[in-house]
Amino acid sequence: MSRKLIATSPIWVTVPIRLALGVIFIAHGAQKVLGSFGGPGLAKFSSFPAPFPFMRPAWLWMGAAAVAELVGGVLVMIGLLTRFGAFMLFCTMLTAVVGVHWKGGLFLPAGFEYALALLAMSLALLISGGGIASIDLGLSSGRRR
């Protein structure tokens, strides 16, 4: 199971995707968890209502989304457990697209186009893994020896 989680190919296409996605989610996660960059911080963000009625208690789901953005962003950026990090980001963005931004239509400022792009990038990494210049590649290469 862990071999499949870190398995990846030595391809370069994942590097710019990982770096861009990592920077974006580390910044957004830091806003929500740490209150950095003028963000609300975890206590305030966790008090927001959840996007779906079945998400109860709301503080748990909102806190999980905030932590998933920060931790998933770090994992994706360094290429460690890239698929797991990408899965956390994918779930968060799927919820954001369907539960929060869908009613705003496609285009910004309230639409889902930006969240959809992040969702697609997360899906690409979920499928491909970390690629070259990732810790996953080093770990998976070491196991083959």
Side-chain angles (χ1 to χ4, degrees):
M1 171 90 147
S2 64
R3 286 184 185 177
K4 289 183 181 180
L5 188 61
I6 64 170
T8 189
S9 300
I11 55 174
W12 283 99
V13 71
T14 59
V15 174
I17 297 171
R18 279 190 15 242
L19 294 177
L21 204 61
V23 166
I24 291 166
F25 276 107
I26 290 170
H28 281 268
Q31 284 183 311
K32 294 170 184 156
V33 174
L34 307 173
S36 303
F37 312 112
L42 189 59
K44 188 170 183 181
F45 187 76
S46 296
S47 69
F48 294 163
F52 295 109
F54 67 85
M55 293 179 148
R56 298 289 178 244
W59 63 266
L60 177 68
W61 289 94
M62 297 303 287
V67 170
E69 286 188 14
L70 183 59
V71 172
V74 170
L75 291 175
V76 161
M77 177 170 267
I78 65 174
L80 175 63
L81 301 174
T82 306
R83 283 190 169 96
F84 178 68
F87 178 73
M88 290 193 296
L89 301 178
F90 179 83
C91 292
T92 303
M93 287 296 90
L94 183 61
T95 303
V97 166
V98 176
V100 179
H101 299 288
W102 191 264
K103 61 186 170 275
L106 176 64
F107 299 106
L108 292 175
F112 62 87
E113 66 180 326
Y114 177 64
L116 182 64
L118 297 176
L119 174 75
M121 291 167 69
S122 300
L123 180 60
L125 291 177
L126 185 58
I127 293 167
S128 69
I132 205 148
S134 70
I135 295 172
D136 289 343
L137 183 63
L139 293 174
S140 64
S141 297
R143 288 180 183 233
R144 289 184 195 138
R145 293 181 189 155

